[in-house]
Amino acid sequence: MSASNRPHPRRPAGDAGFTRVDPSLGEFTLRPVDPYADATLLHHWVTHPKAVFWLMQDADVAGVAEEYRRIAAHPHHDAYLGHWRGRPAFLAER
């Protein structure tokens, strides 16, 4: 793929995060986690048996919200909710 037709990340208006449209895979969007609005979804994900990596198997929704509130407040730790084609699809932290 040449540089002229390679998909480039773009930043939407507001705090929506970053969006990239891949010609084959579709649109991906990455935005900061909202600890309270996203808590129920994140709880479902991080307590799933396949998600033992997150070490939150016994957390309730309030505990998940509190953990992601701490992450959002930390100066060197961030959490992002990834969407694929407009639907929540993955969680990323750095």
Side-chain angles (χ1 to χ4, degrees), residues 9-20 27-31:
R10 63 180 167 85
R11 183 164 174 80
D15 290 332
F18 292 91
T19 298
R20 177 184 172 148
E27 183 177 274
F28 290 88
T29 301
L30 194 65
R31 66 157 174 83

Side-chain angles (χ1 to χ4, degrees), residues 61-81:
V61 174
V64 170
E66 180 59 24
E67 178 62 23
Y68 283 94
R69 187 205 60 75
R70 278 195 294 269
I71 290 170
H74 194 283
H76 304 293
H77 193 177
D78 299 292
Y80 298 95
L81 185 61

Side-chain angles (χ1 to χ4, degrees), residues 17-64:
F18 292 91
T19 298
R20 177 184 172 148
V21 178
D22 182 272
S24 300
L25 300 173
E27 183 177 274
F28 290 88
T29 301
L30 194 65
R31 66 157 174 83
V33 164
D34 179 326
Y36 301 104
D38 298 329
T40 300
L41 172 66
L42 296 178
H43 176 264
H44 178 73
W45 287 357
V46 301
T47 60
H48 189 279
K50 292 180 181 178
V52 295
F53 171 82
W54 300 108
L55 301 174
M56 298 185 78
Q57 298 300 295
D58 297 323
D60 59 11
V61 174
V64 170

